[in-house]
Amino acid sequence: MKTGWKITAAVIAACTLLLGSPESVLGSPGVKNRYYYEQRGDMIWEVHTNQKVIALTFDDGPDPSETDLILDVLHKYNAKCTFFAIGKRIAAYPEVARRVISEGHELANHTYNHVYFKTPISPQQIQDELERTENEIVKISGKHSSLFRPPGGMYDETLVDVSNSMGLKPILWSWHQDTRDWNRPGVYSISSRVIRGAHSGDIVLFHDHVHGQSQTRAALKIILPELEKQGFRFVTVSELIRLSDTQQAKK
C-alpha cells in the first residue's frame, strides 16, 4: 500500500468514528447525520466564527441551590450563558428561573420531563413535551425560547422536523466539549477538558443539576478566569449564532 493511501485511509477511519460511515464523512446524498443537518441549518453543534467567543450551556435545571451558586460565579466574570431547563423544574422553582433571565442569561427548552427520545420518536410526544416547557418559559420570561436541546443528544428526522416547525432550533454541543460533569469526574478533569479544547465557536456542555455533590461550580472558578485571560468572551447560544461567519456575511 502506498504511503499517500495509508494517510487517506487513516483520515477516513478517524472521521468515520466521529460521523459514521465514509459516505457520511463525504456527505453523500440521503445520509441524514450531523453533516446533513448542519449543512441545512436544521441543527447546531458549534459555529464557525472569527471572533473569540464561546458558549457555556447548562442542562437539567433549575436547581434551588446549585443554579444560584453557578449564577454567582458567572456574574463575577460577566459570563452570559444558556440554561436548557426542564419544564417541570421551572414550574417547581420559578424564582431560580427568573434569576437566570434577570441576570441576562438565556432560558431554553430541555423538554418537560427530561425524556430520552428513543427512535422512532412520536411527533405528538415531542410536541407535547416542548409545548409544556414553552408554557413555563413564557410564564417566566414573557416570551417563547428559540432553542431546544434533546436530553442525551438523542434525535432523529422527526424530532428535527417537529422542533424546527415549532421555531425551536435543536442545539447539541461541541464533541470535544462534553465535560461529563454529571458523572463528577473531578474538578481538574472538567476544567482541563474545557480549557485545553477551547476554540472560538465552541458550545460547552455542563449541568446545573446533578445527583450528588456537583463539581461544576468549582470547575467554573478555574475555567472562567483562564479563558478570560486567553481573550475569550462568554456568550449565549443565540448570540453565538448571530456572531457566526454565516450570519455576519448576511449583513
Side-chain angles (χ1 to χ4, degrees):
M1 183 182 288
K2 295 181 180 180
T3 303
W5 169 242
K6 288 182 180 178
I7 294 173
T8 303
V11 170
I12 290 177
C15 292
T16 299
L17 291 174
L18 293 175
L19 295 175
S21 67
E23 292 78 14
S24 303
V25 175
L26 299 175
S28 298
V31 177
K32 296 181 178 179
N33 55 11
R34 172 175 175 169
Y35 179 90
Y36 172 85
Y37 289 117
E38 282 186 322
Q39 290 298 305
R40 289 166 52 96
D42 288 341
M43 293 183 73
I44 294 174
W45 279 259
E46 57 200 16
V47 306
H48 296 287
T49 178
N50 59 10
Q51 301 194 43
K52 206 160 187 181
V53 289
I54 192 167
L56 308 183
T57 67
F58 298 86
D59 286 9
D60 296 358
D63 184 285
S65 59
E66 199 59 37
T67 304
D68 277 334
L69 294 173
I70 286 172
L71 288 169
D72 289 342
V73 180
L74 298 177
H75 178 73
K76 181 178 179 180
Y77 294 96
N78 193 32
K80 303 306 179 187
C81 306
T82 299
F83 288 79
F84 287 94
I86 297 172
K88 66 181 180 182
R89 295 190 66 84
I90 298 175
Y93 309 109
E95 68 288 348
V96 183
R98 288 192 187 96
R99 184 182 172 192
V100 169
I101 295 293
S102 68
E103 297 191 2
H105 303 289
E106 185 170 36
L107 193 63
N109 199 313
H110 197 43
T111 73
Y112 194 85
N113 293 294
H114 199 261
V115 175
Y116 288 98
F117 294 112
K118 297 181 180 179
T119 58
I121 300 171
S122 160
Q124 188 55 52
Q125 183 187 28
I126 299 167
Q127 185 168 336
D128 179 63
E129 284 286 328
L130 299 188
E131 282 184 347
R132 292 179 70 188
T133 304
E134 284 302 302
N135 290 339
E136 297 300 331
I137 290 175
V138 170
K139 289 178 187 177
I140 297 298
S141 66
K143 61 181 182 180
H144 285 280
S145 62
S146 59
L147 308 176
F148 157 59
R149 175 172 286 163
M154 295 181 178
Y155 69 92
D156 68 0
E157 185 175 14
T158 300
L159 182 141
V160 174
D161 289 345
V162 171
S163 56
N164 271 284
S165 71
M166 295 175 67
L168 294 166
K169 180 80 67 182
I171 306 294
L172 294 186
W173 54 87
S174 304
W175 283 337
H176 60 286
Q177 290 289 18
D178 180 356
T179 64
R180 297 183 62 81
D181 60 341
W182 58 270
N183 198 35
R184 298 183 294 156
V187 172
Y188 175 78
S189 176
I190 296 169
S191 58
S192 61
R193 174 183 289 270
V194 176
I195 292 168
R196 287 200 314 265
H199 297 95
S200 297
D202 279 355
I203 297 176
V204 185
L205 174 61
F206 294 105
H207 296 77
D208 59 323
H209 172 69
V210 300
H211 295 291
Q213 187 64 43
S214 174
Q215 300 167 335
T216 304
R217 177 172 59 106
L220 286 169
K221 290 181 177 180
I222 300 170
I223 294 165
L224 293 174
E226 176 57 33
L227 292 187
E228 183 180 67
K229 186 167 64 177
Q230 293 180 24
F232 282 98
R233 184 162 61 91
F234 309 103
V235 300
T236 65
V237 171
S238 287
E239 184 176 357
L240 187 71
I241 294 169
R242 289 194 294 271
L243 294 173
S244 69
D245 293 341
T246 302
Q247 292 298 315
Q248 293 295 301
K250 292 179 181 179
K251 294 183 177 181

